Amino acid sequence: MSAPQLVVHRDKELMAQAAAARLITRIVDAQAARGTASVVLTGGRNGNGLLAALRSSPARDAVDWSRLDLWWGDERFLPEGDPDRNDTQARQALLDSVPLDPARVHTMPVAGGAHGMDADAAAAAYAAELAAAAGPEPCRSAAAAAGAPVPEFDVLMLGVGPDTHVASLFPELPAVRETELTVVGVHGAPKPPPTRISLTLPAIRAAREVWLLAAGEDKAQAAAIALSGAGEVQAPAAGAYGRSRTLWLLDRAAAARLPGALYSPATP
């Protein structure tokens, strides 16, 4: 477990640009060290804002897009191409603009596809895909006891919801309590659509670095709760951390209610 580090930016636009630059650097470093890089994307306004900023950055050409594996932390269980799916929005924001290897873009299953409307079966299929990609020496988190390996992601990004949810792990729902499976179907989510697929906390914690994105006044209370010692069942964002680094990327509005020991308003 890594202690959270905070970076607070003036506004959400600057946060997106700085996070995009940080992600480019992390991908390039990983590719220089191992030849490939692995990133888990997040949806929502902050995740998509980061991708749009990356698309606009001249530095994006430093990335070898053909040697990048992309995964998703969660997905709305909707038909292929639905505008509310995270992968549809990611393609519009960035993915259709860069030369990715389609075989390395690991979208979560769609509703009405190979698994019909069974979100649990779709989640199991994605877990199997993760296990297959984990390689001969997979990174093992708390899910390892159940024999559920996942790749050791270089960066796993999560948007933080106003209720402290991350991915599709909502406070008090069964998915946030899962300790064995790496991917679960989520039923009865408190925001639409109610049926989703999500990585679990054990899978999230397998990442080398976990980045939590929060911008806007509506995220201030969630950030304060998650960073003030709350339990992960009541505040899922509190249970999201990386093996070597946990980074909270916020704008000043989202950081406004943080304890003084964590954040000084003078932070640039």
Side-chain angles (χ1 to χ4, degrees):
M1 176 179 179
S2 57
Q5 300 174 324
L6 276 65
V7 178
V8 181
H9 296 284
R10 182 183 63 245
D11 53 43
K12 65 181 181 181
E13 290 80 15
L14 183 58
M15 186 190 91
Q17 293 165 9
R22 188 184 295 272
L23 182 60
I24 290 170
T25 299
R26 188 68 188 87
I27 293 171
V28 170
D29 287 347
Q31 290 180 335
R34 299 190 316 277
T36 64
S38 179
V39 172
V40 180
L41 301 180
T42 185
R45 68 174 188 252
N46 292 320
N48 291 324
L50 185 157
L51 295 182
L54 202 162
R55 182 188 63 206
S56 300
S57 172
R60 80 179 200 185
D61 292 337
V63 173
D64 184 342
W65 295 98
S66 69
R67 294 188 292 135
L68 176 64
D69 284 290
L70 293 179
W71 302 85
W72 270 261
D74 75 317
E75 187 56 272
R76 294 146 179 166
F77 196 52
L78 297 168
E80 184 175 3
D82 190 289
D84 286 335
R85 278 183 61 91
N86 289 333
D87 66 342
T88 303
Q89 295 173 6
R91 291 183 188 281
Q92 294 172 345
L94 171 68
L95 306 192
D96 286 346
S97 302
V98 292
L100 293 160
D101 178 353
R104 303 183 84 152
V105 179
H106 306 275
T107 56
M108 286 185 164
V110 300
H115 310 286
M117 301 305 294
D118 189 339
D120 296 325
Y126 203 67
E129 188 173 354
L130 286 165
E137 296 182 0
C139 172
R140 292 184 177 273
S141 64
V150 297
E152 189 174 7
F153 312 114
D154 291 295
V155 176
L156 184 149
M157 296 183 288
L158 297 166
V160 179
D163 60 355
T164 74
H165 84 267
V166 290
S168 284
L169 304 177
F170 294 90
E172 304 287 352
L173 289 190
V176 76
R177 302 175 187 270
E178 179 60 53
T179 60
E180 296 186 349
L181 301 176
T182 56
V183 190
V184 292
V186 176
H187 306 275
K191 59 180 294 187
T195 305
R196 298 158 174 255
I197 301 171
S198 182
L199 298 189
T200 61
L201 287 176
I204 288 168
R205 293 167 185 163
R208 291 184 175 90
E209 297 190 12
V210 169
W211 299 2
L212 296 106
L213 313 175
E217 294 179 2
D218 61 328
K219 306 297 179 70
Q221 184 65 20
I225 292 171
L227 288 164
S228 299
E232 62 191 39
V233 174
Q234 294 75 31
Y241 49 82
R243 291 165 60 87
S244 63
R245 192 180 198 192
T246 305
L247 190 62
W248 279 74
L249 302 172
L250 308 101
D251 70 353
R252 287 179 178 171
R257 298 187 186 181
L258 294 182
L262 290 176
Y263 165 60
S264 165
T267 302

